[in-house]
Amino acid sequence: MAFSTSFTAAQSLAGRAIVGAGTSTTTSNRLAVPSFLSFNSLKTSARQHLQHRVVRSHRVGLVRAAAVEALEGTAGTAPVPLVEKSINTIRFLAIDAVEKANSGHPGLPMGCAPMGHILYDEVMRYNPKNPYWFNRDRFVLSAGHGCMLQYALLHLAGYDSVKEEDLKSFRQWGSRTPGHPENFETPGIEVTTGPLGQGIANAVGLALAEKHLAARFNKPDSEIVDHYIYAILGDGCQMEGVSNEACSLAGHWGLGKLIAFYDDNHISIDGDTEIAFTEDVITRFEALGWHTIWVKNGNHGYDEIRAAIKEAKAVKDRPTLIKVTTTIGFGSPNKANSYSVHGSALGAKEVDATRQNLTWPFEPFHVPEDVKSHWSRHISEGASLEADWNSKFAEYEKKYPEEAAELKRIMSGELPAGWEKALPTYTTESPADATRNLSQQCLNALAKVLPGFLGGSADLASSNMTLLKTFGDFQSTTPEERNLRFGVREHGMGAICNGIVSHSPGLIPYCATFFVFTDYMRAAIRISALSEGGVIYVMTHDSIGLGEDGPTHQPIEHLISFRAMPNILMLRPADGNETAGAYMVAILNRKRPSILALSRQKLPHLPGTSIEGVAKGGYIISDNSSGNKPDLILIGTGSELEIAAKAAHELRKQGKAVRVVSLVSWELFDEQSDEYKESVFPSAVTARVSIEAGATLGWEKFVGGKGKAIGIDQFGASAPAGKIYKEFGLTTENVIAAANSL
Amino acid sequence: MAFSTSFTAAQSLAGRAIVGAGTSTTTSNRLAVPSFLSFNSLKTSARQHLQHRVVRSHRVGLVRAAAVEALEGTAGTAPVPLVEKSINTIRFLAIDAVEKANSGHPGLPMGCAPMGHILYDEVMRYNPKNPYWFNRDRFVLSAGHGCMLQYALLHLAGYDSVKEEDLKSFRQWGSRTPGHPENFETPGIEVTTGPLGQGIANAVGLALAEKHLAARFNKPDSEIVDHYIYAILGDGCQMEGVSNEACSLAGHWGLGKLIAFYDDNHISIDGDTEIAFTEDVITRFEALGWHTIWVKNGNHGYDEIRAAIKEAKAVKDRPTLIKVTTTIGFGSPNKANSYSVHGSALGAKEVDATRQNLTWPFEPFHVPEDVKSHWSRHISEGASLEADWNSKFAEYEKKYPEEAAELKRIMSGELPAGWEKALPTYTTESPADATRNLSQQCLNALAKVLPGFLGGSADLASSNMTLLKTFGDFQSTTPEERNLRFGVREHGMGAICNGIVSHSPGLIPYCATFFVFTDYMRAAIRISALSEGGVIYVMTHDSIGLGEDGPTHQPIEHLISFRAMPNILMLRPADGNETAGAYMVAILNRKRPSILALSRQKLPHLPGTSIEGVAKGGYIISDNSSGNKPDLILIGTGSELEIAAKAAHELRKQGKAVRVVSLVSWELFDEQSDEYKESVFPSAVTARVSIEAGATLGWEKFVGGKGKAIGIDQFGASAPAGKIYKEFGLTTENVIAAANSL
């Protein structure tokens, strides 16, 4: 029986890993190892030899060995230790929830249950009854598909967000236990993960936030900010470029409070990682400046895991990667160590076999009393942890009232009264300027009044105009500073900002690159939107107006692509007051990210623009008609609003009643009342012309079937900006011609 | 004079690198080194000591040393060697072109001129009069902003695409020398670069193509496919995650013909790389399985560069990274080794100073006669190289006519007659199936008839259904196979496919992931579109219909976001015939990438769908009206076409004349004649309802001001697909209700 089972697993492994011709060598290598061989029983030298010669077939052996061990435990008289029982509880909660949903990923929770148990039961400091306690340790499951691990742990730890009924409604409509971890659904989940590689970057952001706040607020006699950030990432996360970007920065910044577990199970969806991922991860992380540890027996090496965490904590100047070699789907006799346990329910038969194998006689979703009782202490312990910290903070507040007030603002997210008065205002006499420069005035004004305002650029600070002049660089030795230097790592930058914004309600990160390079970081921007993180994206060089860099650098479809993305504000201000208005909106929207599209080129300050107008998304900047019945409505955004205004001036000279509308944010305009919308775009007025240096698709919504949209529906070109505008027909003359043709 | 100049450079370096408080240590370290110290004159041990202690201040010394050396050359009698003169020609062509344009990036060409010269003059095999000669060595400038390097080299080598007048119209409207290298503008440019990190991934794709074709077509007596792929990448490329993804695969695949130069100049736009990039790149590449070499004196070490290339060629089982430490803006006395030389013209004064410094008495754009004469041999040599290869191929063709015919097809891109007959067809009786499964039938059918068809998935082959069943895996030891295993590296995958498609007109790569994860690879997809590369993107799980994985995995805004992207085909087939039609379109569009959005869930084969219909982008699948005057038009795409058809059935029962239109590709429909469009959407019929499981923005274009668009303008949810469809209102009932309300 043992033989035949293992043989089946080996066969399925061999058949799965590589398809078709040319792979027979690998196949026969795999089968050359007797499948009943217990790998652990071999002497070290023989084991290394096997490890070298045979493509990880030993893991089949490992699973079997574990199964045998568990069975022996039952056969004998010694009770299964509580830790083992707790770990198996985690495994079976995951197995049972996935089984009931008939959908989900049991493999990771079964393999990572040991580190999960040790983290949540032995290591982490948190208060289950207040998941938002400021000084809690943070945990990020970068391999988000394994979310049942996290739900099981939150359940055992006593979080109200994951009751037994929540486990039973895993992945169902309206449940608090969705298919991937979502911070906005489940208190206790710090960040939304699932799209691979980003979670570890979020963890880097969380660790950055901790280091920054600790540097600013800790005193020799009071370490008021002091917590760790733990993460689990899998092979998939390791392959994604974003994780390398973020981990390179984590090493550079020396984020010693970041401890990441690499679940090294050698299985990804397409089979053994041998087929696509054979790099030396430990060496790569050493190159990135991390401390590294390898726990070779992650299935049973509880003490090794504990020791690794202790060692990691002792290394304070570098983040630590603990590579933990595990068996995916540990405990499943026929599916462990195979891709089939990654993303599907085990099936009733295999669930039974796993229960037998791990000696688990309990009903589905059952938490044994001794396990329950063991974990129950976290409720009181968590309350004590928070209470102690609160006392500590009270003392801190007495000694350092100013710092405490500032930190409180960061913890609560409460904006200082009158903050918005710091925003600059402009008149039509103010010198023409690029909105990227006007943006820098806003950034610097805000940094003075918002204690949690910090950010930077992906190596374009001098182009994006994002430096805070009154602060230095956040670096490993100067973590109290607020200019973040992300290097050329847009995706990592976005995901790190998602981590920062998730750390504390009052942290307001901004990040910057050229607007076209939102393409590199779109996955992170989408997570900001989905997870309700009010990151501010400062995106300059927002059109062909950037000129000679050419089409690789000129956004075309980007405005519409973000207007269509849910829960995000796409803002394209036209001048100084609109730029200030855009920042006002961005700061106020703490649960909705904002993208500011800003010009490289100089723009005049237009009559009629205003901060208040921006808040409505669309508004009239000028009109010579009466009774809400203009002959014509011209609509523009950003740098093209000037062209619309000029065309209106000419058309009025021809005797036309012309209205000019700035449509700075479609989303905000959509939220206005029907009356307001009608007051801006009266349905009776069908003569409408829009002008925007971007795709025309989508503009039908405002110009209607009888209007005209002037824009660009092809790639840009390399030439001076003025020349391209002319060649692409973005001119006053063309607006006038279009208007006259209606 | 020498002292004060260097001191200024050191000052500017120190002032630039770090902003604000907390950075005085770095600053004073820099200034602690006497700026007149010539680094090269130090003994090795002292040099290492300095290198360790002082943050690269030695590079200031290096520049000065070089300047002194050049001046000594003038003072003495020995003529400046020709190589040096050629290298300086490259430098000044770049300086002069950027100066004339008053825009561009002189720093990289000035620093990389030595390796550029050695590659194009001494190492690479190419024929300037036929930039498309199949067996040429390929060169990729991953740091695309340095394109004047490439233009200067193409000019010297005798390419017709870069004449003197082209250099003089650098970055101007209509020129062949745009601001970043564009393969579609300038023959001799292999791929379009500029967005950082992707170029090296393109190079990986080119090297994959070479290895694959060599394995398939080379014979023991004839290595008919045998060329190298060279690339230059900078610090920016190294920081981007996509380069790590692609380089991890290059190491895994053992792409020995790939030789990449890392221009290690320690400067990025924001200043010294010290501020954001301190990882150990060489060690990282070793971890990725590359051979590595460090040329420490890239400014003068011509022989070291030559030796490194020789060594790299000798290592056949691994790609090689040659780290070449250079000085950005080499030769500019006041701007070298600083960010100010990265992306702006030097300015007249500094151009003069650089001319003096490098002893360059010539007029702008002048190529000295001896340099011209030296390079002129490449025209005849290139012709010979191609002629020799042609003879070799003629012999090959005699001996191996079948292989030769196949290879010719790959070289020419000519499709085999009748290839489209291989596509499957379906009837309404065919069993309902997910379009991802129908897609796999097409992929497998096409692989049998198209010799250059190959591809794979980013670790979702079993979900995307992309395995070619008659082929094995492309791996280092089985490179003749056609299933590519990209691992979880979407961005790298897209950029690698851009390399493959650029290699030969008959190579047709496809790649796959979940549709939502186009967010990870959007930057690469845009390069496919811009550079006219007909990559096929097989994007499954194309809506909330994927069910329980939840909103992180459910695309919403993606369809519209690609419909707005220029030169790309967004196709959303509804069933078997439409899926086959989508592949027909994709294969025929070799200069336009296609994205196929495919369902996870089963769909019926609908009456009225057809391959021919898909080719028109939008067409009537059923209609019970007469005289092109239906009461109502229902429009659907993909999985929602079934809902539209069902609603039509019900509405017809109510006595309505209802037309159902499948709008499978908006772009293709846009290209149809006005008559055809009117025949599908008669302007008189304003009662129109669309249904699509995605953002409604953009649908105004088809439903008009009086119609209704049913879709999803919020994030999805985690639940079984049927439940989500119902909750989000994507139902027959809702279509009927909307229709009746019009």
Side-chain angles (χ1 to χ4, degrees), chain A residues 17-22 103 105 171-173 178-180 182 192-196 198 236 239-241 244-245 248-249 252 268-270 274-280 283-284 287-288 459-462 467 471-473 475 478 481 485-491 516-517 519-520 522-523 526-527 529-530 548-549 551-558 560-561 563-567 666 695 697-698 700-701 713-715 717-720 723-724 727-728, chain B residues 17-22 103 105 171-173 178-180 182 192-196 198 236 239-241 244-245 248-249 252 268-270 274-280 283-284 287-288 459-462 467 471-473 475 478 481 485-491 516-517 519-520 522-523 526-527 529-530 548-549 551-558 560-561 563-567 666 695 697-698 700-701 713-715 717-720 723-724 727-728:
Chain A
I18 314 256
V19 172
S103 167
H105 301 76
R171 294 188 150 227
Q172 302 310 302
W173 181 262
H180 288 85
E182 295 169 357
T192 295
T193 56
L196 295 175
Q198 289 192 67
M239 289 188 251
E240 291 285 6
N244 192 71
E245 290 180 7
S248 177
L249 281 170
H252 171 76
S268 68
I269 293 177
D270 281 354
E274 280 295 318
I275 67 171
F277 186 53
T278 48
E279 65 178 59
D280 178 347
T283 302
R284 175 160 63 86
L288 300 182
D459 195 46
L460 287 168
S462 55
L467 278 184
F471 293 98
D473 280 3
Q475 294 287 356
T478 54
E481 299 293 347
R485 301 290 199 166
F486 290 104
V488 192
R489 304 180 180 95
E490 297 83 7
H491 196 177
V516 80
F517 297 135
D519 285 350
Y520 275 70
R522 199 172 165 91
R526 194 173 203 259
I527 292 288
L530 174 62
E548 292 90 340
D549 272 347
T552 52
H553 285 54
Q554 292 164 347
I556 297 290
E557 69 279 14
H558 300 73
I560 180 76
S561 81
R563 286 169 182 156
M565 188 181 275
N567 198 45
W666 293 20
L697 185 59
E700 293 86 358
K701 175 168 176 163
D713 291 317
Q714 65 190 90
F715 285 110
S718 174
K723 177 74 179 167
I724 314 181
E727 292 288 343
F728 280 61
Chain B
I18 314 255
V19 172
S103 166
H105 301 77
R171 294 187 151 227
Q172 302 310 303
W173 180 262
H180 288 84
E182 296 169 356
T192 294
T193 57
L196 294 175
Q198 290 192 66
M239 289 188 250
E240 290 284 7
N244 193 70
E245 291 181 7
S248 177
L249 281 169
H252 172 75
S268 67
I269 294 176
D270 281 355
E274 280 296 317
I275 67 171
F277 185 54
T278 48
E279 65 178 57
D280 177 347
T283 302
R284 176 161 62 85
L288 301 181
D459 196 47
L460 287 168
S462 55
L467 277 184
F471 293 97
D473 280 2
Q475 294 287 356
T478 54
E481 300 293 347
R485 302 290 200 165
F486 291 104
V488 192
R489 304 179 181 96
E490 298 83 6
H491 196 177
V516 79
F517 297 137
D519 284 351
Y520 274 70
R522 199 172 165 91
R526 193 173 203 259
I527 292 287
L530 175 61
E548 291 91 340
D549 273 346
T552 52
H553 285 54
Q554 293 164 347
I556 297 290
E557 69 281 13
H558 299 72
I560 180 77
S561 82
R563 286 170 182 154
M565 188 182 277
N567 198 44
W666 294 19
L697 184 58
E700 293 86 358
K701 176 169 175 162
D713 293 314
Q714 64 190 93
F715 285 111
S718 175
K723 178 74 177 166
I724 314 180
E727 293 286 346
F728 280 65

Side-chain angles (χ1 to χ4, degrees), chain B residues 189-272:
Chain B
I189 301 290
E190 302 288 350
V191 293
T192 294
T193 57
L196 294 175
Q198 290 192 66
I200 180 67
N202 301 156
V204 171
L206 288 165
L208 180 154
E210 198 273 350
K211 183 163 177 153
H212 174 69
L213 295 176
R216 272 172 70 179
F217 295 104
N218 285 356
K219 301 290 174 182
D221 63 349
S222 181
E223 295 217 345
I224 201 71
V225 183
D226 177 24
H227 49 269
Y228 285 86
I229 287 79
Y230 300 95
I232 295 180
L233 65 162
D235 291 305
C237 292
Q238 291 289 16
M239 289 188 250
E240 290 284 7
V242 60
S243 66
N244 193 70
E245 291 181 7
C247 291
S248 177
L249 281 169
H252 172 75
W253 286 328
L255 302 179
K257 292 279 186 75
L258 174 60
I259 300 174
F261 296 82
Y262 163 34
D263 175 29
D264 168 50
N265 66 31
H266 293 281
I267 296 293
S268 67
I269 294 176
D270 281 355
D272 195 294

Side-chain angles (χ1 to χ4, degrees), chain A residues 250-305:
Chain A
H252 171 76
W253 286 327
L255 302 178
K257 291 279 185 75
L258 174 60
I259 300 175
F261 295 82
Y262 162 34
D263 175 29
D264 169 48
N265 65 32
H266 291 280
I267 296 292
S268 68
I269 293 177
D270 281 354
D272 195 296
T273 50
E274 280 295 318
I275 67 171
F277 186 53
T278 48
E279 65 178 59
D280 178 347
V281 174
I282 284 274
T283 302
R284 175 160 63 86
F285 272 77
E286 279 167 5
L288 300 182
W290 287 53
H291 180 63
T292 65
I293 306 168
W294 185 6
V295 173
K296 297 190 182 178
N297 176 13
N299 296 330
H300 296 284
Y302 312 143
D303 283 339
E304 287 96 314
I305 294 173

